Amino acid sequence: MKDVQIESSWKSVLQTEFEKPYFTQLREWVRGRYISTTVYPPAKLIFQAFDLCPFDEVKVVILGQDPYHGPGQAHGLCFSVLDGVPFPPSLQNIFKEIQDDVGKPIPKSGDLSYLAKQGVFLLNATLTVEKDKAGSHQNQGWEIFTDAVIKILAEQKSNLVFLLWGAFAGKKESLIPPNKHLVLKSAHPSPLSAYRGFLGNKHFSKTNEYLLKVRKKPIDW
């Protein structure tokens, strides 16, 4: 993470953020953790959400909290897992809602790269985590960085769709200027809360209706 390796359009809009003292401290701290313990995702995939979805192509923002902390799961996109990895419960519910909402069959792979490549920015608030230690890299500076990312998107782009699932993501609405974007909020897809308003939220069809209205290509969920 010495010189931040990130897709060029993101690098240009985030360069001033990378130069701030908190980010320098965060970078050094994260580098130390990768050296001394097992951290997910692999270092080269920390900014995968940015690399697969350039700044200029973002249409939809989905916000997660932490990467998965089990072996082979996290690969830099929130809620996503690589081919062959069993679907975590939240991802199962996301696919169930996509199927119920827009009629798309549940896929065999939990890799959401196909969404990122269509302009769905799959951002975790914290971009790294230690093996078997949920939340272990929270409050080290990642949230300052990802809040800045959300603000930059909200201020510099127009007619985005923000999908904020659960109380944590819902609080990020304060970073988004009203009347400039579509913000859709619901319960989290976790089995603990999915039946309290995630399942049946129709966020995927509502997103596409809005994108069509603002003359953007809808997402093939």
Side-chain angles (χ1 to χ4, degrees):
M1 279 177 69
K2 190 171 181 187
D3 174 42
V4 178
Q5 300 296 312
I6 195 169
E7 190 275 332
S8 58
S9 66
W10 280 109
K11 188 149 197 169
S12 60
V13 296
L14 293 172
Q15 192 57 50
T16 53
E17 210 61 33
F18 293 143
E19 291 164 2
K20 290 180 179 176
Y22 87 85
F23 195 87
T24 304
Q25 290 172 353
L26 169 66
R27 190 173 63 195
E28 292 305 313
W29 184 83
V30 169
R31 186 188 296 150
R33 300 314 293 160
Y34 271 94
I35 291 166
S36 63
T37 190
T38 302
V39 179
Y40 302 129
K44 67 177 188 290
L45 298 179
I46 291 172
F47 294 107
Q48 182 79 331
F50 300 79
D51 294 337
L52 291 183
C53 187
F55 180 79
D56 306 327
E57 294 173 25
V58 176
K59 296 191 284 194
V60 180
V61 180
I62 298 179
L63 189 70
Q65 189 161 1
D66 243 21
Y68 296 122
H69 53 83
Q73 290 182 304
H75 67 117
L77 307 176
C78 72
F79 296 109
S80 180
V81 291
L82 290 170
D83 278 356
V85 177
F87 299 173
S90 291
L91 184 58
Q92 289 179 30
N93 283 330
I94 289 168
F95 284 143
K96 185 175 189 301
E97 179 58 23
I98 288 173
Q99 182 180 47
D100 292 348
D101 184 14
V102 298
K104 189 96 184 283
I106 292 173
K108 292 185 169 58
S109 169
D111 186 346
L112 302 181
S113 299
Y114 75 99
L115 295 178
K117 291 170 184 173
Q118 296 180 72
V120 181
F121 184 48
L122 296 157
L123 179 68
N124 274 317
T126 302
L127 297 188
T128 53
V129 72
E130 289 171 28
K131 181 183 178 183
D132 299 331
K133 293 181 182 175
S136 49
H137 286 194
Q138 290 175 5
N139 305 313
Q140 296 293 338
W142 276 131
E143 296 92 337
I144 302 170
F145 173 69
T146 53
D147 278 1
V149 170
I150 294 166
K151 279 188 203 164
I152 288 166
L153 279 166
E155 287 165 7
Q156 295 190 21
K157 296 179 75 75
S158 55
N159 299 325
L160 297 178
V161 183
F162 288 86
L163 302 182
L164 306 180
W165 299 331
F168 175 84
K171 289 176 186 162
K172 305 298 181 181
E173 186 176 15
S174 64
L175 305 173
I176 304 162
N179 309 319
K180 194 180 175 191
H181 306 282
L182 177 64
V183 177
L184 296 174
K185 294 166 69 177
S186 79
H188 193 275
S190 156
L192 300 173
S193 57
Y195 290 92
R196 296 204 300 268
F198 177 80
L199 295 171
N201 67 16
K202 302 209 174 297
H203 279 187
F204 304 102
S205 59
K206 287 174 181 175
T207 294
N208 279 349
E209 285 164 16
Y210 180 80
L211 291 174
L212 284 167
K213 194 172 83 175
V214 297
R215 301 187 174 173
K216 294 183 182 181
K217 188 177 179 184
I219 305 299
D220 180 6
W221 296 106

